[in-house]
Amino acid sequence: MLVILTALFVVGWVAVALLGSLTYFLGEQSKPIHERNWRSKSFEKISESITGNKIDFSDRVPAFVVSDAYSSNGLPNA
């Protein structure tokens, strides 16, 4: 009985983690994005592998139009 409950708990936890990740990345793909994160190739890779959707950059707009402390061409293309 304890094995069944433990297995059920583990399966539920994995399902919640997967659904949460999917929801997060689908939401992040459509939100305005800050300039310092615009060139984030790692986010694109992870997001596309989890959701199965390519990022549509026509939906993603910069969150800040004015220059701020983070707007720099010296930022890495991580």
Side-chain angles (χ1 to χ4, degrees):
M1 183 70 172
L2 186 59
V3 172
I4 293 172
L5 287 176
T6 303
L8 186 61
F9 176 76
V10 169
V11 168
W13 186 85
V14 169
V16 167
L18 289 175
L19 287 174
S21 296
L22 181 64
T23 303
Y24 171 78
F25 281 105
L26 282 173
E28 286 294 317
Q29 283 181 342
S30 60
K31 282 173 41 178
I33 186 169
H34 195 280
E35 185 177 357
R36 69 180 174 261
N37 296 328
W38 190 263
R39 301 180 304 236
S40 177
K41 297 290 183 199
S42 59
F43 173 81
E44 292 175 26
K45 282 182 180 177
I46 294 170
S47 180
E48 289 175 6
S49 68
I50 288 179
T51 62
N53 297 332
K54 285 213 150 292
I55 295 175
D56 184 6
F57 286 100
S58 64
D59 286 344
R60 297 193 86 184
V61 294
F64 299 99
V65 184
V66 222
S67 289
D68 61 8
Y70 294 103
S71 63
S72 167
N73 289 332
L75 294 173
N77 288 330

